[in-house]
PDB file of all heavy atoms in Angstrom:
ATOM      1  N   VAL A   1     115.562 159.159  56.500  1.00  0.00           N
ATOM      2  CA  VAL A   1     114.269 159.293  55.833  1.00  0.00           C
ATOM      3  C   VAL A   1     114.449 159.077  54.337  1.00  0.00           C
ATOM      4  O   VAL A   1     115.358 159.650  53.734  1.00  0.00           O
ATOM      5  CB  VAL A   1     113.615 160.670  56.087  1.00  0.00           C
ATOM      6  CG1 VAL A   1     112.260 160.782  55.346  1.00  0.00           C
ATOM      7  CG2 VAL A   1     113.450 160.904  57.580  1.00  0.00           C
ATOM      8  N   THR A   2     113.584 158.243  53.785  1.00  0.00           N
ATOM      9  CA  THR A   2     113.554 158.010  52.303  1.00  0.00           C
ATOM     10  C   THR A   2     112.182 158.282  51.796  1.00  0.00           C
ATOM     11  O   THR A   2     111.181 157.807  52.363  1.00  0.00           O
ATOM     12  CB  THR A   2     113.965 156.556  51.957  1.00  0.00           C
ATOM     13  OG1 THR A   2     115.282 156.285  52.496  1.00  0.00           O
ATOM     14  CG2 THR A   2     113.999 156.356  50.497  1.00  0.00           C
ATOM     15  N   LEU A   3     112.104 159.018  50.686  1.00  0.00           N
ATOM     16  CA  LEU A   3     110.817 159.255  49.999  1.00  0.00           C
ATOM     17  C   LEU A   3     110.679 158.189  48.898  1.00  0.00           C
ATOM     18  O   LEU A   3     111.514 158.131  47.995  1.00  0.00           O
ATOM     19  CB  LEU A   3     110.779 160.639  49.420  1.00  0.00           C
ATOM     20  CG  LEU A   3     110.892 161.833  50.384  1.00  0.00           C
ATOM     21  CD1 LEU A   3     110.835 163.134  49.639  1.00  0.00           C
ATOM     22  CD2 LEU A   3     109.783 161.789  51.414  1.00  0.00           C
ATOM     23  N   ALA A   4     109.628 157.395  48.981  1.00  0.00           N
ATOM     24  CA  ALA A   4     109.388 156.362  47.986  1.00  0.00           C
ATOM     25  C   ALA A   4     108.337 156.847  46.964  1.00  0.00           C
ATOM     26  O   ALA A   4     107.268 157.342  47.358  1.00  0.00           O
ATOM     27  CB  ALA A   4     108.933 155.083  48.659  1.00  0.00           C
ATOM     28  N   ALA A   5     108.650 156.703  45.726  1.00  0.00           N
ATOM     29  CA  ALA A   5     107.757 156.980  44.593  1.00  0.00           C
ATOM     30  C   ALA A   5     107.224 158.407  44.590  1.00  0.00           C
ATOM     31  O   ALA A   5     106.048 158.649  44.348  1.00  0.00           O
ATOM     32  CB  ALA A   5     106.578 156.020  44.571  1.00  0.00           C
ATOM     33  N   PRO A   6     108.138 159.394  44.856  1.00  0.00           N
ATOM     34  CA  PRO A   6     107.617 160.781  44.795  1.00  0.00           C
ATOM     35  C   PRO A   6     107.498 161.235  43.341  1.00  0.00           C
ATOM     36  O   PRO A   6     108.345 160.882  42.496  1.00  0.00           O
ATOM     37  CB  PRO A   6     108.728 161.567  45.543  1.00  0.00           C
ATOM     38  CG  PRO A   6     109.954 160.796  45.254  1.00  0.00           C
ATOM     39  CD  PRO A   6     109.562 159.348  45.201  1.00  0.00           C
ATOM     40  N   ARG A   7     106.490 161.999  43.040  1.00  0.00           N
ATOM     41  CA  ARG A   7     106.345 162.584  41.709  1.00  0.00           C
ATOM     42  C   ARG A   7     107.318 163.727  41.572  1.00  0.00           C
ATOM     43  O   ARG A   7     107.609 164.436  42.549  1.00  0.00           O
ATOM     44  CB  ARG A   7     104.895 163.028  41.478  1.00  0.00           C
ATOM     45  CG  ARG A   7     103.911 161.905  41.671  1.00  0.00           C
ATOM     46  CD  ARG A   7     102.517 162.303  41.257  1.00  0.00           C
ATOM     47  NE  ARG A   7     101.568 161.193  41.547  1.00  0.00           N
ATOM     48  CZ  ARG A   7     100.419 161.034  40.989  1.00  0.00           C
ATOM     49  NH1 ARG A   7      99.988 161.901  40.076  1.00  0.00           N
ATOM     50  NH2 ARG A   7      99.625 160.008  41.283  1.00  0.00           N
ATOM     51  N   ALA A   8     107.777 163.962  40.378  1.00  0.00           N
ATOM     52  CA  ALA A   8     108.801 164.988  40.155  1.00  0.00           C
ATOM     53  C   ALA A   8     108.299 166.343  40.603  1.00  0.00           C
ATOM     54  O   ALA A   8     109.061 167.124  41.280  1.00  0.00           O
ATOM     55  CB  ALA A   8     109.183 165.045  38.662  1.00  0.00           C
ATOM     56  N   GLN A   9     107.045 166.688  40.269  1.00  0.00           N
ATOM     57  CA  GLN A   9     106.553 168.017  40.637  1.00  0.00           C
ATOM     58  C   GLN A   9     106.364 168.135  42.137  1.00  0.00           C
ATOM     59  O   GLN A   9     106.563 169.193  42.732  1.00  0.00           O
ATOM     60  CB  GLN A   9     105.243 168.351  39.929  1.00  0.00           C
ATOM     61  CG  GLN A   9     104.044 167.442  40.265  1.00  0.00           C
ATOM     62  CD  GLN A   9     103.954 166.255  39.383  1.00  0.00           C
ATOM     63  OE1 GLN A   9     104.951 165.721  38.904  1.00  0.00           O
ATOM     64  NE2 GLN A   9     102.700 165.812  39.065  1.00  0.00           N
ATOM     65  N   HIS A  10     106.028 167.017  42.816  1.00  0.00           N
ATOM     66  CA  HIS A  10     105.927 167.012  44.252  1.00  0.00           C
ATOM     67  C   HIS A  10     107.286 167.199  44.942  1.00  0.00           C
ATOM     68  O   HIS A  10     107.411 167.915  45.917  1.00  0.00           O
ATOM     69  CB  HIS A  10     105.266 165.714  44.763  1.00  0.00           C
ATOM     70  CG  HIS A  10     103.854 165.596  44.291  1.00  0.00           C
ATOM     71  ND1 HIS A  10     103.131 164.387  44.461  1.00  0.00           N
ATOM     72  CD2 HIS A  10     103.005 166.424  43.634  1.00  0.00           C
ATOM     73  CE1 HIS A  10     101.933 164.546  43.963  1.00  0.00           C
ATOM     74  NE2 HIS A  10     101.817 165.770  43.465  1.00  0.00           N
ATOM     75  N   LEU A  11     108.292 166.546  44.345  1.00  0.00           N
ATOM     76  CA  LEU A  11     109.648 166.705  44.886  1.00  0.00           C
ATOM     77  C   LEU A  11     110.139 168.144  44.766  1.00  0.00           C
ATOM     78  O   LEU A  11     110.760 168.654  45.667  1.00  0.00           O
ATOM     79  CB  LEU A  11     110.577 165.734  44.120  1.00  0.00           C
ATOM     80  CG  LEU A  11     111.863 165.310  44.828  1.00  0.00           C
ATOM     81  CD1 LEU A  11     111.584 164.729  46.187  1.00  0.00           C
ATOM     82  CD2 LEU A  11     112.628 164.315  43.957  1.00  0.00           C
ATOM     83  N   ASP A  12     109.823 168.771  43.643  1.00  0.00           N
ATOM     84  CA  ASP A  12     110.235 170.175  43.488  1.00  0.00           C
ATOM     85  C   ASP A  12     109.540 171.091  44.534  1.00  0.00           C
ATOM     86  O   ASP A  12     110.192 171.976  45.114  1.00  0.00           O
ATOM     87  CB  ASP A  12     109.805 170.687  42.116  1.00  0.00           C
ATOM     88  CG  ASP A  12     110.656 170.022  40.989  1.00  0.00           C
ATOM     89  OD1 ASP A  12     111.738 169.529  41.308  1.00  0.00           O
ATOM     90  OD2 ASP A  12     110.176 170.051  39.819  1.00  0.00           O
ATOM     91  N   MET A  13     108.259 170.816  44.845  1.00  0.00           N
ATOM     92  CA  MET A  13     107.559 171.623  45.845  1.00  0.00           C
ATOM     93  C   MET A  13     108.133 171.345  47.214  1.00  0.00           C
ATOM     94  O   MET A  13     108.269 172.290  48.047  1.00  0.00           O
ATOM     95  CB  MET A  13     106.071 171.286  45.812  1.00  0.00           C
ATOM     96  CG  MET A  13     105.338 171.704  44.540  1.00  0.00           C
ATOM     97  SD  MET A  13     103.583 171.424  44.596  1.00  0.00           S
ATOM     98  CE  MET A  13     103.090 172.737  45.705  1.00  0.00           C
ATOM     99  N   LEU A  14     108.460 170.084  47.554  1.00  0.00           N
ATOM    100  CA  LEU A  14     109.022 169.788  48.854  1.00  0.00           C
ATOM    101  C   LEU A  14     110.363 170.499  49.020  1.00  0.00           C
ATOM    102  O   LEU A  14     110.654 171.001  50.116  1.00  0.00           O
ATOM    103  CB  LEU A  14     109.203 168.283  48.990  1.00  0.00           C
ATOM    104  CG  LEU A  14     107.894 167.491  49.246  1.00  0.00           C
ATOM    105  CD1 LEU A  14     108.135 165.996  49.054  1.00  0.00           C
ATOM    106  CD2 LEU A  14     107.378 167.747  50.642  1.00  0.00           C
ATOM    107  N   ARG A  15     111.169 170.491  47.986  1.00  0.00           N
ATOM    108  CA  ARG A  15     112.442 171.179  48.091  1.00  0.00           C
ATOM    109  C   ARG A  15     112.250 172.698  48.262  1.00  0.00           C
ATOM    110  O   ARG A  15     112.977 173.346  49.024  1.00  0.00           O
ATOM    111  CB  ARG A  15     113.297 170.881  46.852  1.00  0.00           C
ATOM    112  CG  ARG A  15     113.849 169.450  46.903  1.00  0.00           C
ATOM    113  CD  ARG A  15     114.449 169.044  45.560  1.00  0.00           C
ATOM    114  NE  ARG A  15     115.046 167.705  45.611  1.00  0.00           N
ATOM    115  CZ  ARG A  15     115.192 166.883  44.566  1.00  0.00           C
ATOM    116  NH1 ARG A  15     114.862 167.355  43.329  1.00  0.00           N
ATOM    117  NH2 ARG A  15     115.724 165.688  44.713  1.00  0.00           N
ATOM    118  N   ALA A  16     111.275 173.229  47.572  1.00  0.00           N
ATOM    119  CA  ALA A  16     110.990 174.666  47.738  1.00  0.00           C
ATOM    120  C   ALA A  16     110.471 174.952  49.126  1.00  0.00           C
ATOM    121  O   ALA A  16     110.654 176.073  49.664  1.00  0.00           O
ATOM    122  CB  ALA A  16     109.938 175.101  46.710  1.00  0.00           C
ATOM    123  N   ALA A  17     109.846 173.971  49.773  1.00  0.00           N
ATOM    124  CA  ALA A  17     109.333 174.165  51.110  1.00  0.00           C
ATOM    125  C   ALA A  17     110.321 173.861  52.208  1.00  0.00           C
ATOM    126  O   ALA A  17     109.982 173.883  53.394  1.00  0.00           O
ATOM    127  CB  ALA A  17     108.069 173.259  51.274  1.00  0.00           C
ATOM    128  N   GLY A  18     111.545 173.526  51.845  1.00  0.00           N
ATOM    129  CA  GLY A  18     112.591 173.346  52.847  1.00  0.00           C
ATOM    130  C   GLY A  18     113.031 171.904  53.099  1.00  0.00           C
ATOM    131  O   GLY A  18     113.667 171.617  54.089  1.00  0.00           O
ATOM    132  N   LEU A  19     112.705 170.973  52.184  1.00  0.00           N
ATOM    133  CA  LEU A  19     113.183 169.627  52.320  1.00  0.00           C
ATOM    134  C   LEU A  19     114.704 169.577  52.225  1.00  0.00           C
ATOM    135  O   LEU A  19     115.292 170.171  51.312  1.00  0.00           O
ATOM    136  CB  LEU A  19     112.584 168.772  51.158  1.00  0.00           C
ATOM    137  CG  LEU A  19     113.016 167.286  51.173  1.00  0.00           C
ATOM    138  CD1 LEU A  19     112.339 166.499  52.289  1.00  0.00           C
ATOM    139  CD2 LEU A  19     112.678 166.650  49.814  1.00  0.00           C
ATOM    140  N   PRO A  20     115.379 168.929  53.210  1.00  0.00           N
ATOM    141  CA  PRO A  20     116.811 168.826  53.148  1.00  0.00           C
ATOM    142  C   PRO A  20     117.289 168.255  51.833  1.00  0.00           C
ATOM    143  O   PRO A  20     116.722 167.309  51.308  1.00  0.00           O
ATOM    144  CB  PRO A  20     117.174 167.862  54.313  1.00  0.00           C
ATOM    145  CG  PRO A  20     116.039 168.040  55.298  1.00  0.00           C
ATOM    146  CD  PRO A  20     114.822 168.304  54.440  1.00  0.00           C
ATOM    147  N   ALA A  21     118.256 168.876  51.277  1.00  0.00           N
ATOM    148  CA  ALA A  21     118.748 168.569  49.924  1.00  0.00           C
ATOM    149  C   ALA A  21     119.231 167.122  49.793  1.00  0.00           C
ATOM    150  O   ALA A  21     119.163 166.501  48.731  1.00  0.00           O
ATOM    151  CB  ALA A  21     119.851 169.521  49.507  1.00  0.00           C
ATOM    152  N   ASP A  22     119.780 166.557  50.920  1.00  0.00           N
ATOM    153  CA  ASP A  22     120.285 165.192  50.870  1.00  0.00           C
ATOM    154  C   ASP A  22     119.289 164.133  51.229  1.00  0.00           C
ATOM    155  O   ASP A  22     119.654 162.949  51.477  1.00  0.00           O
ATOM    156  CB  ASP A  22     121.517 165.056  51.807  1.00  0.00           C
ATOM    157  CG  ASP A  22     121.170 165.414  53.236  1.00  0.00           C
ATOM    158  OD1 ASP A  22     120.097 165.965  53.477  1.00  0.00           O
ATOM    159  OD2 ASP A  22     122.013 165.137  54.122  1.00  0.00           O
ATOM    160  N   THR A  23     117.998 164.475  51.279  1.00  0.00           N
ATOM    161  CA  THR A  23     116.957 163.471  51.556  1.00  0.00           C
ATOM    162  C   THR A  23     116.945 162.438  50.474  1.00  0.00           C
ATOM    163  O   THR A  23     116.866 162.755  49.252  1.00  0.00           O
ATOM    164  CB  THR A  23     115.588 164.118  51.699  1.00  0.00           C
ATOM    165  OG1 THR A  23     115.642 165.115  52.739  1.00  0.00           O
ATOM    166  CG2 THR A  23     114.522 163.086  52.073  1.00  0.00           C
ATOM    167  N   ALA A  24     116.984 161.160  50.867  1.00  0.00           N
ATOM    168  CA  ALA A  24     117.048 160.043  49.864  1.00  0.00           C
ATOM    169  C   ALA A  24     115.687 159.850  49.214  1.00  0.00           C
ATOM    170  O   ALA A  24     114.629 160.063  49.848  1.00  0.00           O
ATOM    171  CB  ALA A  24     117.516 158.774  50.549  1.00  0.00           C
ATOM    172  N   THR A  25     115.693 159.414  47.975  1.00  0.00           N
ATOM    173  CA  THR A  25     114.484 159.052  47.243  1.00  0.00           C
ATOM    174  C   THR A  25     114.637 157.678  46.653  1.00  0.00           C
ATOM    175  O   THR A  25     115.751 157.237  46.438  1.00  0.00           O
ATOM    176  CB  THR A  25     114.158 160.052  46.147  1.00  0.00           C
ATOM    177  OG1 THR A  25     115.214 160.051  45.194  1.00  0.00           O
ATOM    178  CG2 THR A  25     114.004 161.491  46.685  1.00  0.00           C
ATOM    179  N   ALA A  26     113.522 157.013  46.361  1.00  0.00           N
ATOM    180  CA  ALA A  26     113.538 155.666  45.753  1.00  0.00           C
ATOM    181  C   ALA A  26     112.308 155.526  44.872  1.00  0.00           C
ATOM    182  O   ALA A  26     111.285 156.185  45.140  1.00  0.00           O
ATOM    183  CB  ALA A  26     113.561 154.580  46.811  1.00  0.00           C
ATOM    184  N   PRO A  27     112.408 154.711  43.831  1.00  0.00           N
ATOM    185  CA  PRO A  27     111.258 154.602  42.931  1.00  0.00           C
ATOM    186  C   PRO A  27     110.061 153.889  43.526  1.00  0.00           C
ATOM    187  O   PRO A  27     108.954 154.082  43.078  1.00  0.00           O
ATOM    188  CB  PRO A  27     111.814 153.800  41.709  1.00  0.00           C
ATOM    189  CG  PRO A  27     113.002 153.089  42.275  1.00  0.00           C
ATOM    190  CD  PRO A  27     113.574 153.977  43.332  1.00  0.00           C
ATOM    191  N   ASP A  28     110.294 153.074  44.554  1.00  0.00           N
ATOM    192  CA  ASP A  28     109.175 152.388  45.217  1.00  0.00           C
ATOM    193  C   ASP A  28     109.630 151.972  46.619  1.00  0.00           C
ATOM    194  O   ASP A  28     110.813 152.148  47.008  1.00  0.00           O
ATOM    195  CB  ASP A  28     108.735 151.156  44.439  1.00  0.00           C
ATOM    196  CG  ASP A  28     109.880 150.219  44.091  1.00  0.00           C
ATOM    197  OD1 ASP A  28     110.674 149.875  45.026  1.00  0.00           O
ATOM    198  OD2 ASP A  28     109.990 149.798  42.917  1.00  0.00           O
ATOM    199  N   VAL A  29     108.713 151.399  47.404  1.00  0.00           N
ATOM    200  CA  VAL A  29     108.996 151.029  48.802  1.00  0.00           C
ATOM    201  C   VAL A  29     110.062 149.949  48.847  1.00  0.00           C
ATOM    202  O   VAL A  29     110.954 149.942  49.654  1.00  0.00           O
ATOM    203  CB  VAL A  29     107.740 150.604  49.509  1.00  0.00           C
ATOM    204  CG1 VAL A  29     108.044 150.025  50.893  1.00  0.00           C
ATOM    205  CG2 VAL A  29     106.765 151.773  49.636  1.00  0.00           C
ATOM    206  N   GLY A  30     109.955 148.960  47.885  1.00  0.00           N
ATOM    207  CA  GLY A  30     110.927 147.908  47.884  1.00  0.00           C
ATOM    208  C   GLY A  30     112.366 148.368  47.705  1.00  0.00           C
ATOM    209  O   GLY A  30     113.259 147.963  48.468  1.00  0.00           O
ATOM    210  N   ALA A  31     112.558 149.288  46.775  1.00  0.00           N
ATOM    211  CA  ALA A  31     113.891 149.848  46.578  1.00  0.00           C
ATOM    212  C   ALA A  31     114.337 150.642  47.815  1.00  0.00           C
ATOM    213  O   ALA A  31     115.511 150.635  48.167  1.00  0.00           O
ATOM    214  CB  ALA A  31     113.880 150.738  45.353  1.00  0.00           C
ATOM    215  N   ALA A  32     113.380 151.333  48.446  1.00  0.00           N
ATOM    216  CA  ALA A  32     113.744 152.095  49.630  1.00  0.00           C
ATOM    217  C   ALA A  32     114.198 151.150  50.774  1.00  0.00           C
ATOM    218  O   ALA A  32     115.107 151.443  51.533  1.00  0.00           O
ATOM    219  CB  ALA A  32     112.554 152.924  50.102  1.00  0.00           C
ATOM    220  N   ARG A  33     113.495 150.002  50.932  1.00  0.00           N
ATOM    221  CA  ARG A  33     113.892 149.007  51.936  1.00  0.00           C
ATOM    222  C   ARG A  33     115.333 148.482  51.659  1.00  0.00           C
ATOM    223  O   ARG A  33     116.141 148.361  52.603  1.00  0.00           O
ATOM    224  CB  ARG A  33     112.920 147.856  51.979  1.00  0.00           C
ATOM    225  CG  ARG A  33     111.553 148.151  52.578  1.00  0.00           C
ATOM    226  CD  ARG A  33     110.685 146.906  52.553  1.00  0.00           C
ATOM    227  NE  ARG A  33     109.355 147.160  53.062  1.00  0.00           N
ATOM    228  CZ  ARG A  33     109.046 147.102  54.360  1.00  0.00           C
ATOM    229  NH1 ARG A  33     109.971 146.892  55.276  1.00  0.00           N
ATOM    230  NH2 ARG A  33     107.809 147.325  54.709  1.00  0.00           N
TER     231      ARG A  33
END
């Protein structure tokens, strides 16, 4: 699973809600692909 273009505050909330620490992120969908 890769999160594309997540906002910083949203990423903090997801981690607080139990998002696995090693979940990948990318600045946009193209980079995620």
Side-chain angles (χ1 to χ4, degrees):
V1 179
T2 302
L3 299 179
R7 303 187 184 202
Q9 65 270 33
H10 295 172
L11 203 54
D12 291 340
M13 294 185 73
L14 285 167
R15 287 169 177 156
L19 178 73
D22 58 347
T23 302
T25 62
D28 53 48
V29 172
R33 286 181 183 276

